[in-house]
Amino acid sequence: MKNIILLLLTSFIFMGCSFTQKPNKWEYESAAAFESYKKNFLSQRDTLAKNDFNRAVEHAKSGSDFNLLATIYLGECALNISVGIQNKCENYLAIKDLTTDLSLEPYYNFIAATLEKEQIPLLPAIYQNYVWHVRYQEYSKAQQDIATMTKMSSKFLAAALMKENLDNKMRERMIELGSYYGYKRVVLFWLEESKKWTKNKKELELLDKKISILNQTN
């Protein structure tokens, strides 16, 4: 059971784990649906994303697995935060007292910016150096940590969590990555963020034009 929870977490926070035994059908289908949800959400294909998310939840519920269900809800919350959507993780908080996986609460505190120093070693390894550097306001080093993250969703989340302390080069890099992978929601978020830090009138006009075109519907 722990393996499928880690699989779902790796689809977003990427802990680098793998199966040691074959999962149940409902576990596998839940993880697959969540992976599809992640891609459709970041691509702003909202109808497909909603359907994927509902399938992931229903498969988890069919196995009465509250750890898995909580992991899905944390993934949902983290995805929202990674593109600037306010989210208090209400779905996770509503069931956290039913969970037994001790790795869930540190991750929740990480994305909610309430992480205690003692919890940092309990985070996925991919985030630990980054968290230490942010904690001590070593933002240049934290940006280097983001740059070396191998998974896009990890980059997007980490960058969003320290968006006020990024340099323009990193904001531009987030736009480039979002564009490369077809993640329209990511691109729009970082275009809006770039506007906050751009004083050049011509550049602001270009950013506004890009946002306007991307928001147009056919």
Side-chain angles (χ1 to χ4, degrees):
M1 193 61 62
K2 180 75 170 179
N3 289 327
I4 191 65
I5 294 171
L6 293 181
L7 175 64
L8 271 168
L9 284 171
T10 58
S11 72
F12 189 76
I13 62 178
F14 303 102
M15 297 171 67
C17 300
S18 59
F19 283 111
T20 58
Q21 61 185 15
K22 185 176 180 180
N24 293 322
K25 182 179 179 182
W26 60 266
E27 294 175 312
Y28 176 83
E29 290 179 345
S30 184
F34 184 82
E35 178 67 15
S36 182
Y37 158 71
K38 178 187 70 175
K39 293 177 180 178
N40 282 321
F41 174 83
L42 294 176
S43 301
Q44 203 164 297
R45 296 191 288 260
D46 292 337
T47 299
L48 292 174
K50 182 178 180 179
N51 290 337
D52 291 333
F53 181 77
N54 289 339
R55 285 192 297 111
V57 168
E58 287 307 309
H59 286 306
K61 286 182 177 180
S62 72
S64 303
D65 186 342
F66 291 100
N67 287 337
L68 177 56
L69 187 60
T71 302
I72 292 170
Y73 288 149
L74 278 177
E76 173 199 27
C77 185
L79 278 170
N80 276 274
I81 291 170
S82 75
V83 291
I85 299 173
Q86 293 295 322
N87 194 306
K88 297 181 180 179
C89 303
E90 292 93 343
N91 287 332
Y92 164 73
L93 293 174
I95 67 166
K96 77 170 189 174
D97 60 328
L98 303 175
T99 65
T100 58
D101 186 343
L102 298 180
S103 70
L104 297 176
E105 190 67 5
Y107 183 70
Y108 162 72
N109 288 332
F110 166 55
I111 63 178
T114 57
L115 188 71
E116 297 292 337
K117 180 179 179 180
E118 295 75 17
Q119 293 179 311
I120 295 176
L122 301 176
L123 286 177
I126 193 171
Y127 290 124
Q128 291 184 21
N129 285 338
Y130 161 84
V131 170
W132 282 115
H133 289 144
V134 171
R135 186 177 185 88
Y136 291 107
Q137 300 182 4
E138 297 175 333
Y139 298 124
S140 294
K141 291 182 179 179
Q143 288 188 125
Q144 293 173 16
D145 296 329
I146 294 172
T148 60
M149 291 178 183
T150 57
K151 302 299 182 180
M152 293 305 104
S153 295
S154 297
K155 288 180 184 285
F156 297 144
L157 176 61
L161 288 172
M162 59 168 289
K163 62 184 180 181
E164 301 296 329
N165 297 293
L166 293 181
D167 58 31
N168 286 331
K169 184 177 180 180
M170 182 59 74
R171 295 186 186 96
E172 291 171 0
R173 182 56 178 159
M174 292 300 105
I175 294 171
E176 291 173 359
L177 289 171
S179 178
Y180 180 82
Y181 286 94
Y183 292 158
K184 180 180 176 181
R185 182 165 267 129
V186 173
V187 173
L188 284 169
F189 169 60
W190 286 106
L191 286 173
E192 291 286 358
E193 282 299 306
S194 296
K195 284 178 58 179
K196 299 176 183 178
W197 302 92
T198 301
K199 297 181 180 180
N200 184 281
K201 183 178 179 180
K202 182 64 175 178
E203 291 179 6
L204 281 171
E205 289 175 351
L206 290 174
L207 289 170
D208 279 330
K209 185 173 183 178
K210 290 178 180 179
I211 292 168
S212 176
I213 291 173
L214 289 176
N215 280 324
Q216 290 176 0
T217 57
N218 295 327

